[in-house]
């Protein structure tokens, strides 16, 4: 076996994997917004959830993509764990379409048509509006070209007497259908899928080995079962940096397939016989027997049928136990007892879960929503600080505000970095607009954090400088302008967590006008009060600093609202 044949095998496998990846990504780009809507609205119960998983996976041709999308939605709080488990079960059925595509490639000489797909694809790519469709056709063409080359090279390899002898002698050692041999191929399928990160590639290799007669059908089926387990590990690796619910969703993916493989191993022989009889495949025929070659040609269909039968049966069995699976994964993966909000970490954006721009923008939006809520909590601390008389509590609260200011700086930088990474991909004009708006939002939210910290420092300066207390009227007026400012923050968070088409933007503009008018009124009143010796000039300066920061903060809030709505307040 020459080194050239080895590289040809590896190259054709790489071509197949690249084609599958391109095809899947193109489908996700074409259907991104619709898939998000489907996942968000069609998971009312376990059965519609499973149907959603089937539909989405069949649409994007990747159970890994569906699972990662589902885990991301759980991470972002858009899906519950219960809903996610049913979607993942459906994804197991949807992914069987890939095996049938592989089987089609083995049953027909489909490579003759790939060059036509390449030609049409390149035309569509140069037509900018049809670029994604062109990418999809290129992906399909690469997939079938890789599959055809892999098949030709594999069959050519076993026609070489020396190579066939070496390969056959290796696999013949494990052809006896014993438990340990079956377990070996099960583990082999799991490890290979984990290493290659593509169950489709391992399925293609399995079909080649079985179709050439060097691997027994029983061991090929064990490889298929192993692929089902191996493909679940990807989502668990990605979810390591996600929140608890997302890790539970990823773990349920693994648990469902492990349970399925367990019962399949117990019933493996009657199950294989049932599938073979359905396809019309005779397991007893050996090399040289009449009809052996015709029988061998059905192997790819046997593997595809087994893959479908296993996943459909497993889903039909386990869908009734979704509540118990949910309890089990919650028992295995415990909730964190430490309050996470006091430590800086992005809760929704995670390092590995960036599959499509549409999903990435969604995650960034959820992170910005959390950022906005955090800034309102920070302002609430400032209001507490204003009236805190206990020295130790005052110091602790001030330190907490200072910590939040550092968190706001870090959140701005990390979200901006993530959005810049997303913007490197091919984006629609709508998505580019969303990213620009989000960059403005995080900049204004960080300014809100700065304003809160400035107020805290002003209050701290007053306390440390042993200045006189504010008068009752000053406290009353400060509370009133802070209440208006808090109302503005509340309206901002209503917008950030809801739909902008149902939001009345005039409420935010009206509150901001109230803050401006009240600020002007208080500035004028401050001069009068100082002249009347109701308090000192130094106290009046600190008082006006706090009022001025509230007015600035109100402006930043309006800027966030405008960025989110895509509008600007009319100049008066």
């Amino acid at each position: 076996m020459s080194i050239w044949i080895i590289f040809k095998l590896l190259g054709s496998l790489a071509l197949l994997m690249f084609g599958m990846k391109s095809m899947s990504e193109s489908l996700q780009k074409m259907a991104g917004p619709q898939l998000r809507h489907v996942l968000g609205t069609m998971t009312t119960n376990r059965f519609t959830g499973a149907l959603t998983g089937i539909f989405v996976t069949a649409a994007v041709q990747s159970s890994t993509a569906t699972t990662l999308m589902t885990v991301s939605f759980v991470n972002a709080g858009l899906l519950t764990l219960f809903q996610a488990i049913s979607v993942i079960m459906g994804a197991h059925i949807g992914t069987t379409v890939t095996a049938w595509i592989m089987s089609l490639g083995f049953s027909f000489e489909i490579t003759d048509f790939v060059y036509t797909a390449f030609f049409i694809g390149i035309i569509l790519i140069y037509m900018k509006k049809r670029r994604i469709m062109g990418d999809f056709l290129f992906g399909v063409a690469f997939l079938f070209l890789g599959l055809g080359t892999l098949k030709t090279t594999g069959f050519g390899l076993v026609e070489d007497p020396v190579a066939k002898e070496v390969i056959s002698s290796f696999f013949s050692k494990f052809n006896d259908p014993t438990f340990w041999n079956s377990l070996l191929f099960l583990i082999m399928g799991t490890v290979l899928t984990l290493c290659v990160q593509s169950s489709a590639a391992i399925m293609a290799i399995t079909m080649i080995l079985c179709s050439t007669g060097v691997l027994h059908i029983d061991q090929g089926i064990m490889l298929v079962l192993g692929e089902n387990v191996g493909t679940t590990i990807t989502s668990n690796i990605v979810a390591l940096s996600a929140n608890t619910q997302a890790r539970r969703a990823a773990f349920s993916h693994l648990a469902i397939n492990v349970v399925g493989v367990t019962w399949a191993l117990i019933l493996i022989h009657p199950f294989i016989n049932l599938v073979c009889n359905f396809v019309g495949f005779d397991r007893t025929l050996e090399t040289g027997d009449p009809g052996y070659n015709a029988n061998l040609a059905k192997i790819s269909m046997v593997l595809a049928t087994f893959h479908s039968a296993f996943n459909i049966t497993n889903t039909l069995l386990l869908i009734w136990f979704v509540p118990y699976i949910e309890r089990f994964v919650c028992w295995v993966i415990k909730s964190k007892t430490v309050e996470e909000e006091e430590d800086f970490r992005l809760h929704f954006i995670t390092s590995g879960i960036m599959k499509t721009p549409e999903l990435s923008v969604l995650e960034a939006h959820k992170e910005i929503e959390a950022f906005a809520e955090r800034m309102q909590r920070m302002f609430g601390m400032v209001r507490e600080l204003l009236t805190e008389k206990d020295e130790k509590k005052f110091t602790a609260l001030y330190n907490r505000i200072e910590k939040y200011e550092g968190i706001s700086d870090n959140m701005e930088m990390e979200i901006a970095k993530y959005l810049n990474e997303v913007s490197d991909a091919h984006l629609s004009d709508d998505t580019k607009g969303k990213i620009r708006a989000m960059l403005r939002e995080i900049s204004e939210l960080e300014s809100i954090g700065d304003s809160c910290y400035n107020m805290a420092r002003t209050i701290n300066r007053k306390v440390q400088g042993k200045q006189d207390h504010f008068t009752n009227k000053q406290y009353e007026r400060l509370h009133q302008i802070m209440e208006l400012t808090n109302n503005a923050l509340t309206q901002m968070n209503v917008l950030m967590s809801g739909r902008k088409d149902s939001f009345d933007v005039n409420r935010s503009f009206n509150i901001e006008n109230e803050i401006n008018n009240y600020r002007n009124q208080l500035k004028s009143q401050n001069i009068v009060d100082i002249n009347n010796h109701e308090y000192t000039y130094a106290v009046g300066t600190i008082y006006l600093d706090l009022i001025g920061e509230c007015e600035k903060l109100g402006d930043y809030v309006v800027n966030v609202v405008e960025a989110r709505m895509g509008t600007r307040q009319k100049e008066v």
Side-chain angles (χ1 to χ4, degrees):
M1 184 169 58
S2 68
I3 192 73
W4 167 247
I5 294 178
I6 294 175
F7 277 114
K8 194 173 181 181
L9 283 169
L10 293 174
S12 57
L13 189 61
L15 202 60
L16 183 147
M17 291 169 63
F18 177 76
M20 181 60 74
K21 182 174 182 291
S22 298
M23 184 176 73
S24 176
E25 288 181 350
S26 300
L27 285 165
Q28 288 178 64
K29 287 176 184 176
M30 283 190 284
Q34 289 77 12
L35 292 182
R36 187 178 77 183
H37 176 73
V38 167
L39 275 176
T41 59
M42 290 184 62
T43 53
T44 52
N45 59 60
R46 70 189 82 175
F47 301 103
T48 57
L51 288 172
T52 303
I54 295 170
F55 168 77
V56 173
T57 308
V60 301
Q61 278 303 293
S62 173
S63 62
T64 301
T66 304
T67 305
L68 292 181
M69 205 183 300
T70 304
V71 170
S72 298
F73 280 23
V74 174
N75 191 54
L78 297 177
L79 287 179
T80 65
L81 179 59
F82 185 92
Q83 291 171 319
I85 292 171
S86 60
V87 172
I88 288 168
M89 285 183 175
H92 293 160
I93 297 176
T95 193
T96 62
V97 175
T98 306
W100 286 104
I101 292 174
M102 299 286 177
S103 178
L104 182 69
F106 277 84
S107 303
F108 303 96
E109 192 55 51
I110 206 161
T111 52
D112 294 340
F113 301 98
V114 300
Y115 301 104
T116 306
F118 277 131
F119 178 70
I120 297 172
I122 197 66
I123 293 174
L124 293 174
I125 285 173
Y126 278 101
M127 296 168 60
K128 291 185 178 180
K129 291 184 178 180
R130 299 285 184 268
R131 182 186 178 89
I132 296 175
M133 180 62 73
D135 289 339
F136 168 73
L137 281 178
F138 257 68
V140 173
F142 277 127
L143 167 65
F144 283 115
L145 183 61
L147 192 61
T149 308
L150 189 66
K151 182 177 76 169
T152 305
T153 309
F155 278 94
L157 184 63
V158 296
E159 288 175 1
D160 183 342
V162 178
K164 185 172 183 178
E165 180 63 30
V166 172
I167 297 171
S168 297
S169 62
F170 172 76
F171 283 113
S172 62
K173 298 174 185 176
F174 309 104
N175 272 347
D176 291 334
T178 64
F179 173 78
W180 295 111
N181 282 346
S182 298
L183 188 62
L184 173 66
F185 277 85
L186 178 69
I187 295 170
M188 193 184 299
T190 302
V191 172
L192 286 173
T193 305
L194 179 60
C195 293
V196 177
Q197 291 288 297
S198 172
S199 59
I202 306 304
M203 174 65 80
I205 292 171
T206 305
M207 287 181 174
I208 286 284
L209 292 171
C210 291
S211 296
T212 53
V214 299
L215 182 65
H216 195 273
I217 185 64
D218 289 13
Q219 310 308 1
I221 283 173
M222 287 298 108
L223 283 176
V224 172
L225 285 177
E227 292 157 20
N228 278 275
V229 178
T231 195
T232 66
I233 298 175
T234 305
S235 57
N236 280 272
I237 293 171
V238 170
L240 287 175
S241 57
N243 63 26
T244 302
Q245 287 294 85
R247 292 199 305 276
R248 286 170 175 169
F251 182 70
S252 70
H253 186 31
L254 174 62
I256 290 165
N257 272 357
V258 168
V259 170
V261 168
T262 302
W263 69 253
L265 285 174
I266 296 170
L267 303 173
I268 193 65
H269 292 299
F271 199 9
I272 292 175
N273 286 333
L274 190 65
V275 170
C276 289
N277 289 338
F278 177 79
V279 176
F281 179 81
D282 190 347
R283 294 168 68 199
T284 62
L285 287 181
E286 297 181 359
T287 308
D289 291 345
Y292 174 76
N293 290 334
N295 192 56
L296 204 61
K298 299 177 183 177
I299 279 190
S300 62
M301 190 176 291
V302 173
L303 292 172
T305 304
F306 176 84
H307 192 225
S308 296
F310 166 73
N311 283 292
I312 291 170
T313 306
N314 194 41
T315 298
L316 290 176
L317 286 173
L318 296 184
I319 199 165
W320 305 100
F321 299 95
V322 171
Y324 301 101
I325 295 171
E326 183 181 24
R327 289 181 203 170
F328 173 71
V329 296
C330 290
W331 176 74
V332 172
I333 300 177
K334 308 290 186 186
S335 297
K336 290 186 177 180
T337 54
V338 180
E339 182 60 50
E340 293 180 343
E341 73 172 37
E342 295 300 317
D343 297 314
F344 169 66
R345 69 180 284 270
L346 298 179
H347 291 276
F348 305 109
I349 293 173
T350 49
S351 58
I353 314 181
M354 193 174 76
K355 300 301 292 181
T356 63
E358 178 68 28
L359 184 57
S360 302
V361 167
L362 170 69
E363 290 176 343
H365 174 68
K366 295 297 291 185
E367 202 65 69
I368 293 170
E369 183 184 326
F371 191 1
E373 290 172 356
R374 186 170 250 156
M375 291 303 95
Q376 186 167 13
R377 285 200 299 273
M378 186 179 180
F379 182 71
M381 294 175 205
V382 173
R383 297 179 73 182
E384 289 179 38
L385 192 73
L386 180 64
T387 55
E388 184 56 64
K389 300 293 190 260
D390 186 276
E391 187 176 340
K392 288 184 179 178
K393 289 182 180 178
F394 182 92
T395 303
L397 194 55
Y398 179 76
N399 290 337
R400 194 177 174 204
I401 293 169
E402 195 171 37
K403 184 177 180 180
Y404 262 64
E405 201 276 331
I407 289 173
S408 72
D409 290 344
N410 288 330
M411 288 192 78
E412 181 195 19
M413 295 303 296
E414 291 301 316
I415 296 172
K417 179 182 174 184
Y418 182 79
L419 288 172
N420 285 332
E421 289 176 3
V422 175
S423 64
D424 289 338
H426 296 297
L427 304 173
S428 65
D429 291 338
D430 182 53
T431 305
K432 287 177 183 176
K434 286 180 182 177
I435 290 175
R436 284 194 297 270
M438 285 179 174
L439 288 170
R440 185 183 174 203
E441 287 167 13
I442 59 174
S443 174
E444 299 296 342
L445 286 170
E446 193 276 332
S447 296
I448 291 174
D450 287 344
S451 274
C452 290
Y453 185 48
N454 288 339
M455 280 191 271
R457 286 196 302 176
T458 301
I459 296 168
N460 185 56
R461 187 174 73 246
K462 172 181 171 296
V463 170
Q464 298 303 322
K466 307 296 183 183
Q467 298 285 348
D468 295 336
H469 292 300
F470 290 133
T471 65
N472 289 336
K473 285 185 178 179
Q474 281 180 309
Y475 274 121
E476 184 181 330
R477 291 162 183 165
L478 282 170
H479 286 314
Q480 192 166 346
I481 197 167
M482 284 185 171
E483 182 63 27
L484 285 171
T485 307
N486 191 62
N487 289 343
L489 287 165
T490 300
Q491 285 298 309
M492 177 188 75
N493 280 312
V494 167
L495 170 63
M496 300 302 285
S497 61
R499 295 177 61 87
K500 63 181 183 181
D501 54 8
S502 61
F503 181 78
D504 184 3
V505 71
N506 289 321
R507 290 183 184 177
S508 292
F509 292 156
N510 290 338
I511 293 172
E512 200 257 347
N513 287 331
E514 282 187 62
I515 293 172
N516 289 344
N517 294 333
Y518 196 48
R519 184 272 315 265
N520 294 336
Q521 178 187 333
L522 293 179
K523 281 179 72 176
S524 301
Q525 185 64 45
N526 180 64
I527 296 171
V528 174
D529 291 342
I530 290 173
N531 287 335
N532 291 337
H533 304 292
E534 293 193 19
Y535 46 80
T536 65
Y537 182 82
V539 170
T541 301
I542 293 172
Y543 172 63
L544 278 188
D545 284 346
L546 292 175
I547 291 168
E549 284 297 339
C550 282
E551 192 275 330
K552 284 183 188 176
L553 200 153
D555 289 342
Y556 298 140
V557 168
V558 167
N559 291 341
V560 173
V561 170
E562 287 177 345
R564 178 78 175 99
M565 295 293 293
T567 60
R568 287 197 176 276
Q569 186 175 7
K570 293 180 181 178
E571 297 292 336
V572 180

